Amino acid sequence: MRLTTKGRFAVTAMIDLALNAQNNAVKLNSISERQQISLSYLEQLFSKLRRAGLVESIRGPGGGYILGRDAGEINIAQIIAAAEDELDATLCKGKANCQSGAPCLTHNLWENLNHTINAYLSSVTLAGLLAQQQPDKNTQIVKITHIY
């Protein structure tokens, strides 16, 4: 089981979009430069994200992309699913035919892990991740140079 670059880049690009689209639409080349993700790869991802209703495209001068819904209504599982990335710990893709047509001895373990991961990713919203990106104004940043 592994989250591929498709899912990772989709989540990263959505966070970048949410951070930067608060007043204007964001161009994909801006996200590409900031996140060092290929523009053609982003175009493919955003096509999928748009079809899923997670982003909207704005045409014309000042065009680009904006969130399709409020950041609190978009969760990470939705973004990963829209990017067509699958997180599956089972070897049988959940079909329970792991061992000669029957479930293997650890099928339920991996199936439960899948459910746990999906529940967690469904509970994390884009708004929650945005809050983590913006430092608390009451928190002081202290730089420690050497500790002996």
Side-chain angles (χ1 to χ4, degrees):
M1 171 187 61
R2 196 177 85 158
L3 180 63
T4 67
T5 54
K6 211 185 296 184
R8 289 178 187 275
F9 285 173
V11 171
T12 299
M14 287 291 287
I15 295 169
D16 185 292
L17 176 67
L19 282 169
N20 293 290
Q22 295 174 0
N23 297 319
N24 303 324
V26 176
K27 295 184 184 322
L28 288 185
N29 64 346
S30 298
I31 295 173
S32 173
E33 289 173 11
R34 281 190 297 270
Q35 303 307 322
Q36 299 178 353
I37 302 171
S38 156
L39 180 58
S40 62
Y41 201 78
L42 280 175
E43 289 168 346
Q44 293 171 25
L45 283 175
F46 271 73
S47 175
K48 293 175 183 182
L49 294 168
R50 188 177 48 76
R51 282 194 299 269
L54 300 178
V55 299
E56 293 178 11
S57 61
I58 308 294
R59 295 185 179 266
Y65 285 88
I66 59 172
L67 293 179
R69 305 190 281 243
D70 182 71
E73 297 174 11
I74 299 173
N75 67 53
I76 303 311
Q78 293 168 325
I79 297 170
I80 292 170
E84 298 175 2
D85 202 358
E86 260 183 51
L87 295 176
D88 187 0
T90 65
L91 295 175
C92 63
K93 305 248 185 231
K95 295 178 184 172
N97 61 356
C98 328
Q99 196 169 38
S100 303
C104 65
L105 294 175
T106 57
H107 179 81
N108 289 338
L109 171 70
W110 305 127
E111 191 67 28
N112 289 335
L113 178 61
N114 286 343
H115 292 300
T116 301
I117 291 170
N118 190 51
Y120 171 71
L121 293 175
S122 294
S123 74
V124 178
T125 65
L126 202 49
L129 292 176
L130 288 175
Q132 292 175 7
Q133 297 300 316
Q134 299 167 350
D136 183 1
K137 292 177 183 162
N138 297 323
T139 304
Q140 285 187 356
I141 298 174
V142 178
K143 183 178 178 184
I144 300 174
T145 54
H146 296 288
I147 298 179
Y148 295 99

